Amino acid sequence: MRRTLMKSIVTVALAFCCANISAQGFLKKLKSAAETVTSITGTGTTDTQSTEGTSGEEAPSSEEFLANAPSYSVKKVIETDSLGNVITNEDGTTRYKYLLIDKDGKVCEANAARKHLNSALKSGALILAKVGVGAGAGALIGKKAGGSKKSALIGAGVGAAAGLLASSKDIKAVRTQIKLMKECKAVLAAYEKTFTEEGTPIDASVDLTNVDGINFAASEEITKSAADVKNEFLASKAEGESLDDVEIPDDLSV
């Protein structure tokens, strides 16, 4: 009886010891993973360069993403001639053009705006996946990239480790910016079906106060020279033709 009891105690002790060793090993691996991805989260001192996402694609730092995130709005542009005079219609009324304006105040072509937004949305999704935001974000990217179940789980583990170190403020800012860019895409879609490249309504009878819930008639008014409008539009159009076309689903969830 005594020997049986001692044997049981030894067995329990060994089991506890093994479990403890296993747990320590896991914590060491988690710590190592966390240290490996510290620069990705924006909390380390080396967060000055881009890093690769779990899919093997490059993901920018959160600071880089937020600083360069594109933003566009539709504005009623009043053009002026070379002498600074307002250009008018044949009946003498002020001529307006509804144009896409970027965050730097320059005219942007719709195709270029769409490509910039899609590219930025993809970068934002990679950032959130890398820091393990959301259920199985790292694993999701791993599986989509065609990796094995094991590699996908490793990706999720690294993402979770990074998530422990990530700044909640940075994550919130990235998510907010992604939401704004998705809203911007909705405005862009409504704009493209309503206006020509020149910024005039495709259908003169269209109600600009409600295009898919957007009131273009209430757009902010700005004044730009006709020469600047033309040059900025052409430069944006040329840039748009040179950019890669990244496909992002409208129901992108991050």
Side-chain angles (χ1 to χ4, degrees), residues 20-232:
N20 190 45
I21 292 172
S22 178
Q24 288 178 353
F26 172 77
L27 289 175
K28 286 181 180 179
K29 289 180 180 179
L30 185 60
K31 181 175 182 294
S32 176
E35 290 172 347
T36 300
V37 296
T38 296
S39 61
I40 301 167
T41 68
T43 58
T45 58
T46 59
D47 190 21
T48 57
Q49 59 184 1
S50 297
T51 52
E52 289 190 1
T54 51
S55 64
E57 296 181 73
E58 188 175 312
S61 67
S62 57
E63 289 87 349
E64 182 183 359
F65 169 77
L66 293 170
N68 296 294
S71 176
Y72 304 95
S73 59
V74 177
K75 297 186 178 181
K76 293 169 66 174
V77 179
I78 301 172
E79 290 183 307
T80 58
D81 60 23
S82 59
L83 298 177
N85 299 314
V86 172
I87 298 175
T88 60
N89 297 311
E90 292 183 359
D91 60 1
T93 57
T94 300
R95 189 176 75 184
Y96 294 99
K97 284 187 175 182
Y98 290 81
L99 300 173
L100 285 171
I101 306 296
D102 66 19
K103 62 183 181 181
D104 296 319
K106 294 185 177 181
V107 176
C108 186
E109 188 253 349
N111 181 53
R114 186 189 315 103
K115 287 183 176 181
H116 276 301
L117 286 168
N118 282 348
S119 179
L121 281 168
K122 184 176 183 180
S123 294
L126 285 172
I127 290 172
L128 294 185
K130 194 65 179 178
V131 298
V133 175
L140 179 61
I141 293 294
K143 289 177 181 178
K144 284 186 176 180
S148 66
K149 182 177 180 181
K150 181 178 180 181
S151 64
L153 290 174
I154 291 173
V158 173
L164 293 175
L165 301 175
S167 164
S168 59
K169 183 178 180 181
D170 284 350
I171 293 173
K172 183 178 180 180
V174 170
R175 279 186 141 167
T176 297
Q177 189 58 57
I178 288 175
K179 180 181 179 182
L180 290 173
M181 289 192 296
K182 289 170 70 175
E183 292 174 353
C184 192
K185 278 193 68 177
V187 172
L188 177 60
Y191 174 83
E192 287 189 278
K193 75 177 188 179
T194 306
F195 299 98
T196 65
E197 278 195 347
E198 291 73 29
T200 58
I202 296 175
D203 182 355
S205 65
V206 68
D207 181 10
L208 296 181
T209 65
N210 186 9
V211 180
D212 296 339
I214 300 169
N215 185 358
F216 287 117
S219 299
E220 176 189 356
E221 292 185 7
I222 63 171
T223 301
K224 291 180 74 73
S225 71
D228 284 345
V229 168
K230 179 180 179 181
N231 292 334
E232 289 170 7

